[in-house]
Amino acid sequence: MKIHEYQAKEIFKRFGIPVPDGKVATTPEEAEKIANELGSPLVVKAQVHVGGRGKAGGVKLVKTPGEAKEAASKILGLDIKGLTVKKVLITKAIDIKDEAYIGYIVDRRSKKPLVMVSAAGGIDIEEVARETPEKIHKFVIDPFYGLLPHQAMELALKLYNDIKLVRKAADVILKLYKAFISVDASLSEINPFVVTPDGEIWAVDAKINIDDNALVRHPDIEEMRDVTEAEKKELDAKSKGLSYIKLDGNIGCVVNGAGLAMATMDLIKKYGGEPANFLDIGGSSSPEKVVNALNILISDKNVKSIFFNIFGGITRCDDVANGIVEALSKLTINLPIVIKLAGTNEDEAKKILSQTELITAASMADGAKKSIEIAGK
Ligand code: GDP
Ligand code: MN
C-alpha cells in the first residue's frame, strides 16, 4: 500500500528523522491559513501516490501566504500521471546546499533488506540507476543483526567528507532502517536528503510503501489508506471474497484459483489478446460470487468479451453455472461469454448451461482464442 508524503513524514517523525514542519490542506483558503501559521518561505506540494511531482508542476516554492494560496489553487485538481490532486502539503521551505538519496527496499535476489545511498539525490533515482549506476552505493543487510552503526557510517562516508555530516547522516540511515523494519515497509526512501548551508540535515521528501500482507499488524497505517477510483473497485471485490486487479486489455477473465488465473492471462497473451483483469473467484464458489464477478466486469467499459475458465475441484461447476444463469437473469449483459468448465459436476453444469447462449470452449486454448476473436470484432 502506498501512503502520501505527509503520512510518511509523520512516521519519520516518530523515529526521530528530521522533517520540516507542515500541514495538509484541501482548499486554497486552508493552505493560506496554514501558511500564516508556519511562516515564510514555504513549499506547496501535491499529495498523490506518484513520484516526479516536481517536474509535473506539483511542487511550488512560495514567499508569502498569498502566494501559497495561489499555488494551492493551481496544484489542487491538477492531473499528475493520471491521478487527480486532492490534497496539498504546506511545509516550511528548506535552504538547500546539497541533495542526497537514502533508500531501503526488500531485495528479491538476496531476500534481504537492501540499503542504497547516493550523493546524486534530488533527481529521479531510477535515471541515476540507469545512466550512472556507479553513483549508487548498495549494501545488503543481514536481518538477524540489522544494520550496524559502523555499516551506517561507511555508507554515510560515501555521501560526505565532513565528519560531522557523516555522523548526522549515519544516524538518519540507522533511524530509517528502524522505521523500514518496524512498519513492515517494502520501500522507504528520502529523496532529497538535504544539507543546508548551516550544516543542518532534513528529509525534504518522504516515501513509504507498506507490504499489504503486514497491514493487519498496523491498524494505524491502514487508516492512512487513500484509495483511487480503480483501487475502490478492487477493495470492493475483496470485501466480496474476490481477488480482482484491473488491467488495460479488453478480455474479461473469471477464473477460480490464482494460478489458473495467471495461466489464463498468459494464454490470452500468447494468442495475441490482452486481459482486462485478473479475477479469482476463489476455491469454493457460490452463485452469488459469480454474480458479483460479472457485475465488476460489465462495469469496465473496456471489456469486449468474457472468458470463464473454471476448473472444478472444491469449486463445483454446477454452482458456477447456476451463478451464470442467475447473473444473466439479474443483470443486463450484452457481452459475449465464452466458457470452459471441467471437473467436479461438469455434466450437471453443462446441462444447466445448455439453456443459455454461452459459447462453450473445448479447451483452455480454444476458450482463449474464441474470446480474443470475439473481442476483436
Ligand atoms: P518529487 O518531485 O515528487 O520527488 O518531490 P520532492 O519533494 O522531491 O521535490 C522535488 C524538488 O523540489 C526537490 O528535489 C527540490 O529540488 C525542490 N524542493 C522541494 N522542497 C524544497 C524546499 O523546501 N526547498 C527548496 N529550495 N527546494 C525544494
Ligand atoms: Mn522526491
Side-chain angles (χ1 to χ4, degrees), residues 53 122 191-192 205:
R53 296 163 302 165
N191 188 29
D205 193 5

Side-chain angles (χ1 to χ4, degrees), residues 179-245:
F180 174 78
I181 294 296
S182 306
V183 302
D184 292 309
S186 54
L187 176 150
S188 113
E189 66 179 29
I190 307 175
N191 188 29
F193 176 70
V194 162
V195 180
T196 69
D198 301 336
E200 288 173 14
I201 48 154
W202 295 99
V204 161
D205 193 5
K207 182 170 173 183
I208 298 180
N209 293 349
I210 310 282
D211 183 337
D212 287 338
N213 295 314
L215 278 169
V216 284
R217 302 207 289 206
H218 307 284
D220 57 325
I221 297 174
E222 175 64 56
E223 271 181 29
M224 294 180 177
R225 192 187 284 276
D226 184 3
V227 291
T228 59
E229 292 309 312
E231 287 164 341
K232 259 182 209 156
K233 264 172 97 177
E234 294 176 2
L235 286 171
D236 178 50
K238 196 174 170 187
S239 73
K240 289 171 178 152
L242 308 165
S243 319
Y244 168 76
I245 293 161

Side-chain angles (χ1 to χ4, degrees), residues 231-305:
E231 287 164 341
K232 259 182 209 156
K233 264 172 97 177
E234 294 176 2
L235 286 171
D236 178 50
K238 196 174 170 187
S239 73
K240 289 171 178 152
L242 308 165
S243 319
Y244 168 76
I245 293 161
K246 188 183 152 36
L247 300 167
D248 295 327
N250 60 0
I251 298 160
C253 309
V254 187
V255 187
N256 67 318
L260 188 61
M262 298 299 277
T264 305
M265 288 158 58
D266 281 351
L267 213 56
I268 288 173
K269 284 228 166 214
K270 183 181 167 188
Y271 292 115
E274 286 294 333
N277 62 277
F278 168 98
L279 204 169
D280 173 13
I281 58 172
S284 58
S285 278
S286 60
E288 194 192 339
K289 272 195 183 175
V290 178
V291 174
N292 289 332
L294 277 170
N295 230 333
I296 292 171
L297 293 195
I298 58 174
S299 73
D300 180 347
K301 300 278 172 291
N302 292 338
V303 175
K304 296 285 178 274
S305 70

Side-chain angles (χ1 to χ4, degrees), residues 19 21 67 76 88 141 164 176 181 195 197 222 282 319 322 341 365:
V19 294
D21 283 341
E67 279 178 36
L76 287 164
V88 285
I141 298 161
K164 275 190 197 150
L176 189 61
I181 294 296
V195 180
E222 175 64 56
D319 268 350
N322 278 325
L341 290 164

Side-chain angles (χ1 to χ4, degrees), residues 98-102 116-129 131-137 158-160 190-193:
D98 181 84
E99 295 183 299
Y101 172 95
I102 304 172
M116 289 176 281
V117 302
S118 177
I123 42 172
D124 192 354
I125 197 70
E126 281 81 15
E127 198 180 306
V128 181
E131 276 154 33
T132 47
E134 69 281 0
K135 288 189 180 166
I136 300 177
H137 305 277
K158 309 274 189 201
L159 301 179
Y160 312 110
I190 307 175
N191 188 29
F193 176 70

